Amino acid sequence: MPKTKIEFVCQSCGSRPPKWLGKCPECGEFNTLVEEIARPEETARRPVLSEERPIPITEVQPVDRPRIVVGLGEFDRVLGGGLVIGSVALIGGDPGIGKSTLILQVCQRIASLGHPVLYISSEESVIQTKLRAERLGVNSPNLFIVSETNLSVIRKYLEEMKPKFAVVDSIQMIYRPEIPSAPGTVSQVRECASELTFLAKRL
Ligand SMILES: [Zn+2]
């Protein structure tokens, strides 16, 4: 059994100073250092995905990646012309700004195009999400909702359902059981985001 190692991780910039400090030496934020259990080496390793080799840039053929045009002007514009298939986008913003409302409307648009959509709520129950959706007139039978925070379970749902579009609202509450740090910490958010990006590419 390897010894558990504690490290201090800045929740603002992700730096790891050797000891606890009131002020992060990297980004200068105060009280952002949190004790996290150091990640064991095995979970840091990723499987090698492809047999690709480096090639000269002149031989790279530009291809237009397939997109879903959502039909919400500003949303499509910010994404450069719609959602790129196999990609992940992070929607950020202050609490109460309307992220969940916007994303439910996006879900409705994509579901009404006939695509299966999965909305994973980590902060609200299925009933609460349903009530929010009702107020917005979101009611497509192609839109599936589930309340879950464990990334292993979320991975299973994604692999079984293979939705065209999936939402995790929000990443702050999701955790990977193999990582000993609390949900919302830099380690958890980074690992969960990386796993979700991997799944988006593969599924
Ligand atoms: Zn920092």
Side-chain angles (χ1 to χ4, degrees):
M1 183 78 185
K3 210 170 123 258
T4 311
K5 211 179 117 224
I6 298 290
E7 57 186 5
F8 298 99
V9 182
C10 172
Q11 302 300 299
S12 179
C13 72
S15 73
R16 294 173 152 72
K19 62 178 169 68
W20 192 89
L21 297 159
K23 181 185 175 187
C24 172
E26 281 297 321
C27 69
E29 294 282 328
F30 286 93
N31 298 319
T32 53
L33 291 175
V34 168
E35 219 176 63
E36 293 190 16
I37 297 162
R39 189 173 53 157
E41 275 307 304
E42 310 86 71
T43 60
R45 266 184 238 132
R46 288 248 165 246
V48 177
L49 267 182
S50 70
E51 298 289 304
E52 285 197 39
R53 296 269 179 278
I55 55 167
I57 194 166
T58 48
E59 287 178 20
V60 179
Q61 302 295 327
V63 278
D64 257 340
R65 296 173 72 189
R67 290 173 185 270
I68 300 175
V69 179
V70 177
L72 293 170
E74 278 294 279
F75 187 83
D76 286 326
R77 194 184 59 76
V78 165
L79 293 171
L83 283 162
V84 176
I85 306 282
S87 75
V88 169
L90 178 70
I91 315 246
D94 292 332
I97 205 170
K99 298 185 290 294
S100 298
T101 298
L102 170 69
I103 213 67
L104 269 174
Q105 286 164 334
V106 171
C107 286
Q108 169 74 8
R109 291 283 186 145
I110 297 172
S112 62
L113 294 171
H115 301 301
V117 174
L118 179 60
Y119 183 98
I120 301 143
S121 175
S122 63
E123 294 183 357
E124 290 186 325
S125 68
V126 167
I127 300 286
Q128 283 171 311
T129 307
K130 162 78 178 171
L131 290 173
R132 183 199 289 275
E134 249 175 10
R135 287 195 293 273
L136 298 165
V138 171
N139 57 3
S140 170
N142 292 328
L143 173 57
F144 290 72
I145 54 178
V146 68
S147 180
E148 185 55 60
T149 53
N150 182 337
L151 189 67
S152 302
V153 182
I154 292 172
R155 189 193 308 140
K156 189 170 73 80
Y157 292 148
L158 292 170
E159 284 170 346
E160 281 171 9
M161 187 185 155
K162 293 191 170 43
K164 195 80 171 176
F165 179 64
V167 171
V168 174
D169 184 8
S170 73
I171 189 88
Q172 285 289 113
M173 302 290 287
I174 304 295
Y175 70 97
R176 242 182 106 162
E178 309 92 278
I179 312 285
S181 307
T185 54
V186 168
S187 306
Q188 280 290 5
V189 172
R190 187 198 291 128
E191 282 296 318
C192 291
S194 138
E195 170 101 28
L196 289 168
T197 307
F198 172 78
L199 285 169
K201 283 207 182 89
R202 206 193 49 176
L203 293 178

